[in-house]
Short mmCIF file of all heavy atoms in Angstrom, two decimals:
data_model
loop_
_atom_site.label_atom_id
_atom_site.label_comp_id
_atom_site.label_asym_id
_atom_site.label_seq_id
_atom_site.Cartn_x
_atom_site.Cartn_y
_atom_site.Cartn_z
N GLU R 657 112.09 96.36 100.79
CA GLU R 657 111.72 96.49 99.36
C GLU R 657 110.90 97.74 99.20
O GLU R 657 110.06 98.17 99.99
CB GLU R 657 110.98 95.28 98.92
CG GLU R 657 111.78 94.02 98.94
CD GLU R 657 112.87 94.00 98.13
OE1 GLU R 657 112.94 94.68 97.05
OE2 GLU R 657 113.86 93.26 98.41
N ASN R 658 111.01 98.26 97.95
CA ASN R 658 110.13 99.36 97.58
C ASN R 658 108.63 98.86 97.54
O ASN R 658 108.34 97.79 96.88
CB ASN R 658 110.50 99.85 96.21
CG ASN R 658 109.62 101.04 95.79
OD1 ASN R 658 108.54 100.74 95.32
ND2 ASN R 658 110.08 102.27 95.96
N THR R 659 107.81 99.48 98.15
CA THR R 659 106.37 98.93 98.26
C THR R 659 105.77 98.86 96.90
O THR R 659 104.94 97.92 96.63
CB THR R 659 105.55 99.78 99.24
OG1 THR R 659 106.24 99.92 100.43
CG2 THR R 659 104.16 99.32 99.46
N ASP R 660 106.01 99.85 96.01
CA ASP R 660 105.40 99.77 94.64
C ASP R 660 105.89 98.54 93.97
O ASP R 660 105.09 97.90 93.26
CB ASP R 660 105.84 101.20 93.87
CG ASP R 660 105.35 102.32 94.41
OD1 ASP R 660 104.33 102.32 95.18
OD2 ASP R 660 105.92 103.39 94.01
N ILE R 661 107.05 98.15 94.12
CA ILE R 661 107.53 96.99 93.32
C ILE R 661 107.00 95.76 93.97
O ILE R 661 106.53 94.83 93.21
CB ILE R 661 109.11 96.93 93.28
CG1 ILE R 661 109.67 98.08 92.49
CG2 ILE R 661 109.67 95.57 92.89
CD1 ILE R 661 111.17 98.25 92.53
N LYS R 662 107.00 95.65 95.28
CA LYS R 662 106.41 94.52 95.87
C LYS R 662 104.89 94.44 95.61
O LYS R 662 104.43 93.31 95.29
CB LYS R 662 106.50 94.71 97.51
CG LYS R 662 105.89 93.61 98.28
CD LYS R 662 106.08 93.81 99.73
CE LYS R 662 105.36 92.77 100.56
NZ LYS R 662 105.23 93.01 101.95
N ASP R 663 104.15 95.54 95.58
CA ASP R 663 102.72 95.50 95.26
C ASP R 663 102.55 95.03 93.76
O ASP R 663 101.70 94.20 93.51
CB ASP R 663 102.09 96.80 95.43
CG ASP R 663 101.94 97.21 96.82
OD1 ASP R 663 102.12 96.30 97.72
OD2 ASP R 663 101.72 98.40 97.19
N PHE R 664 103.41 95.51 92.84
CA PHE R 664 103.31 95.07 91.47
C PHE R 664 103.57 93.61 91.24
O PHE R 664 102.69 92.84 90.66
CB PHE R 664 104.30 95.84 90.58
CG PHE R 664 104.38 95.32 89.22
CD1 PHE R 664 103.39 95.68 88.29
CD2 PHE R 664 105.35 94.44 88.84
CE1 PHE R 664 103.44 95.12 86.92
CE2 PHE R 664 105.37 93.87 87.57
CZ PHE R 664 104.52 94.25 86.61
N MET R 665 104.55 93.05 92.01
CA MET R 665 104.84 91.67 91.80
C MET R 665 103.72 90.81 92.46
O MET R 665 103.43 89.76 91.96
CB MET R 665 106.21 91.32 92.53
CG MET R 665 107.40 92.03 91.83
SD MET R 665 107.60 91.53 90.15
CE MET R 665 108.04 89.82 90.22
N ASN R 666 103.20 91.20 93.53
CA ASN R 666 102.14 90.45 94.21
C ASN R 666 100.78 90.57 93.69
O ASN R 666 100.00 89.58 93.68
CB ASN R 666 102.17 90.74 95.76
CG ASN R 666 103.42 90.11 96.45
OD1 ASN R 666 103.74 89.02 96.24
ND2 ASN R 666 104.04 90.94 97.34
N ASP R 667 100.44 91.67 93.14
CA ASP R 667 99.05 91.99 92.66
C ASP R 667 98.86 91.72 91.14
O ASP R 667 97.78 91.49 90.79
CB ASP R 667 98.67 93.52 93.02
CG ASP R 667 98.68 93.71 94.44
OD1 ASP R 667 98.66 92.77 95.23
OD2 ASP R 667 98.77 95.05 94.72
N SER R 668 99.91 91.72 90.39
CA SER R 668 99.76 91.48 88.93
C SER R 668 99.30 90.00 88.69
O SER R 668 99.51 89.13 89.40
CB SER R 668 101.10 91.63 88.13
OG SER R 668 101.52 93.08 88.33
N ARG R 669 98.64 89.94 87.44
CA ARG R 669 98.26 88.62 87.03
C ARG R 669 99.66 87.92 86.59
O ARG R 669 100.50 88.47 86.03
CB ARG R 669 97.49 88.75 85.71
CG ARG R 669 96.96 87.43 85.17
CD ARG R 669 96.20 87.55 83.93
NE ARG R 669 95.76 86.23 83.43
CZ ARG R 669 95.46 86.02 82.17
NH1 ARG R 669 95.47 86.99 81.28
NH2 ARG R 669 95.18 84.78 81.71
N LYS R 670 99.71 86.57 87.07
CA LYS R 670 100.94 85.86 86.75
C LYS R 670 100.65 84.58 85.96
O LYS R 670 99.70 83.83 86.41
CB LYS R 670 101.66 85.59 88.04
CG LYS R 670 102.26 86.76 88.72
CD LYS R 670 102.70 86.59 90.12
CE LYS R 670 101.58 86.70 91.11
NZ LYS R 670 101.03 88.01 91.33
N ILE R 671 101.18 84.41 84.85
CA ILE R 671 100.95 83.18 83.97
C ILE R 671 102.24 82.42 83.99
O ILE R 671 103.38 82.99 83.64
CB ILE R 671 100.54 83.58 82.62
CG1 ILE R 671 99.21 84.35 82.65
CG2 ILE R 671 100.40 82.29 81.70
CD1 ILE R 671 98.80 84.84 81.35
N VAL R 672 102.19 81.16 84.43
CA VAL R 672 103.36 80.25 84.53
C VAL R 672 103.28 79.16 83.46
O VAL R 672 102.29 78.41 83.52
CB VAL R 672 103.44 79.63 85.94
CG1 VAL R 672 104.75 78.95 86.08
CG2 VAL R 672 103.25 80.64 87.04
N PHE R 673 104.31 79.16 82.61
CA PHE R 673 104.32 78.07 81.62
C PHE R 673 105.17 77.03 82.27
O PHE R 673 106.44 77.16 82.41
CB PHE R 673 104.92 78.60 80.31
CG PHE R 673 104.08 79.61 79.65
CD1 PHE R 673 104.45 81.01 79.71
CD2 PHE R 673 102.90 79.17 79.00
CE1 PHE R 673 103.62 81.91 79.07
CE2 PHE R 673 102.12 80.13 78.37
CZ PHE R 673 102.45 81.59 78.34
N SER R 674 104.63 75.87 82.59
CA SER R 674 105.35 74.82 83.26
C SER R 674 104.57 73.46 82.98
O SER R 674 103.38 73.37 83.19
CB SER R 674 105.49 75.02 84.70
OG SER R 674 106.06 73.93 85.39
N LYS R 675 105.39 72.45 82.62
CA LYS R 675 104.81 71.11 82.41
C LYS R 675 104.85 70.29 83.66
O LYS R 675 104.16 69.34 83.90
CB LYS R 675 105.62 70.39 81.33
CG LYS R 675 105.37 71.03 79.92
CD LYS R 675 106.29 70.27 78.90
CE LYS R 675 106.18 70.94 77.58
NZ LYS R 675 107.00 70.42 76.60
N THR R 676 105.61 70.83 84.66
CA THR R 676 105.80 70.05 85.91
C THR R 676 105.15 70.68 87.09
O THR R 676 104.76 69.89 88.04
CB THR R 676 107.34 69.89 86.23
OG1 THR R 676 107.92 71.11 86.37
CG2 THR R 676 108.01 69.06 85.09
N LEU R 677 105.04 71.97 87.17
CA LEU R 677 104.30 72.65 88.30
C LEU R 677 102.86 72.19 88.29
O LEU R 677 102.20 72.27 87.33
CB LEU R 677 104.52 74.09 88.13
CG LEU R 677 104.29 74.99 89.38
CD1 LEU R 677 105.39 74.60 90.42
CD2 LEU R 677 104.49 76.49 88.99
N GLU R 678 102.43 71.81 89.46
CA GLU R 678 100.95 71.34 89.65
C GLU R 678 100.05 72.31 90.33
O GLU R 678 98.88 72.28 90.06
CB GLU R 678 100.99 70.03 90.48
CG GLU R 678 101.67 68.83 89.77
CD GLU R 678 101.08 68.46 88.46
OE1 GLU R 678 99.81 68.58 88.46
OE2 GLU R 678 101.79 67.99 87.62
N SER R 679 100.61 73.19 91.11
CA SER R 679 99.75 74.19 91.80
C SER R 679 100.56 75.44 92.09
O SER R 679 101.81 75.44 92.01
CB SER R 679 99.25 73.66 93.12
OG SER R 679 100.26 73.38 93.97
N THR R 680 99.82 76.53 92.38
CA THR R 680 100.45 77.72 92.73
C THR R 680 99.89 78.34 94.06
O THR R 680 98.67 78.08 94.34
CB THR R 680 100.14 78.86 91.61
OG1 THR R 680 98.69 79.09 91.57
CG2 THR R 680 100.75 78.43 90.30
N ASP R 681 100.74 78.86 94.78
CA ASP R 681 100.23 79.53 96.09
C ASP R 681 100.30 81.05 96.04
O ASP R 681 99.69 81.68 96.85
CB ASP R 681 101.15 79.06 97.26
CG ASP R 681 101.02 77.54 97.57
OD1 ASP R 681 99.86 77.05 97.26
OD2 ASP R 681 102.00 76.98 98.04
N TRP R 682 100.99 81.59 95.08
CA TRP R 682 101.11 83.01 94.89
C TRP R 682 99.85 83.55 94.31
O TRP R 682 99.44 83.08 93.22
CB TRP R 682 102.38 83.25 94.05
CG TRP R 682 102.85 84.62 94.16
CD1 TRP R 682 102.52 85.70 94.95
CD2 TRP R 682 103.93 85.15 93.31
NE1 TRP R 682 103.30 86.85 94.71
CE2 TRP R 682 104.17 86.54 93.64
CE3 TRP R 682 104.66 84.63 92.28
CZ2 TRP R 682 105.14 87.28 93.05
CZ3 TRP R 682 105.62 85.43 91.69
CH2 TRP R 682 105.83 86.75 92.05
N ASN R 683 99.22 84.56 94.86
CA ASN R 683 97.94 85.07 94.43
C ASN R 683 98.03 85.46 92.91
O ASN R 683 99.17 85.95 92.45
CB ASN R 683 97.43 86.26 95.29
CG ASN R 683 98.36 87.42 95.31
OD1 ASN R 683 99.57 87.30 95.40
ND2 ASN R 683 97.74 88.64 95.20
N ASN R 684 96.87 85.46 92.28
CA ASN R 684 96.74 85.89 90.80
C ASN R 684 97.62 85.05 89.93
O ASN R 684 98.05 85.65 88.83
CB ASN R 684 96.98 87.35 90.66
CG ASN R 684 96.03 88.20 91.50
OD1 ASN R 684 94.91 87.95 91.69
ND2 ASN R 684 96.61 89.27 92.15
N SER R 685 97.92 83.83 90.27
CA SER R 685 98.82 82.99 89.42
C SER R 685 98.01 81.85 88.80
O SER R 685 97.12 81.27 89.41
CB SER R 685 99.99 82.37 90.22
OG SER R 685 100.78 83.39 90.76
N GLU R 686 98.28 81.54 87.60
CA GLU R 686 97.71 80.42 86.83
C GLU R 686 98.79 79.63 86.16
O GLU R 686 99.80 80.22 85.56
CB GLU R 686 96.59 80.79 86.00
CG GLU R 686 96.98 81.59 84.79
CD GLU R 686 95.88 82.06 83.94
OE1 GLU R 686 95.38 81.29 83.08
OE2 GLU R 686 95.47 83.25 84.14
N ILE R 687 98.65 78.34 85.95
CA ILE R 687 99.65 77.53 85.22
C ILE R 687 99.06 77.18 83.91
O ILE R 687 97.91 76.73 83.77
CB ILE R 687 99.90 76.20 86.02
CG1 ILE R 687 100.51 76.57 87.40
CG2 ILE R 687 100.85 75.31 85.28
CD1 ILE R 687 100.56 75.34 88.31
N ILE R 688 99.86 77.28 82.82
CA ILE R 688 99.53 76.80 81.54
C ILE R 688 100.65 75.85 81.12
O ILE R 688 101.76 76.19 81.27
CB ILE R 688 99.44 77.99 80.53
CG1 ILE R 688 98.40 79.01 80.93
CG2 ILE R 688 99.24 77.46 79.11
CD1 ILE R 688 98.22 80.24 80.04
#
C-alpha cells in the first residue's frame, strides 16, 4: 500500500455511526 494512504487511514480521526458496535480497536476511532 502507498504509505501516505495507509498513514491517512490509520492516523485520521474516525467517527463511526453505529447502534450495534460496542467498541473500537482502530486508533483514533469513536462510536456515536
Side-chain angles (χ1 to χ4, degrees):
E657 297 296 337
N658 179 283
T659 305
D660 295 340
I661 294 174
K662 179 182 174 184
D663 290 348
F664 172 80
M665 295 302 293
N666 287 316
D667 296 342
S668 294
R669 178 181 182 208
K670 292 167 275 296
I671 298 171
V672 187
F673 295 104
S674 175
K675 294 178 183 176
T676 58
L677 200 60
E678 295 297 325
S679 65
T680 61
D681 293 331
W682 197 7
N683 63 316
N684 301 322
S685 297
E686 65 182 281
I687 300 169
I688 298 178

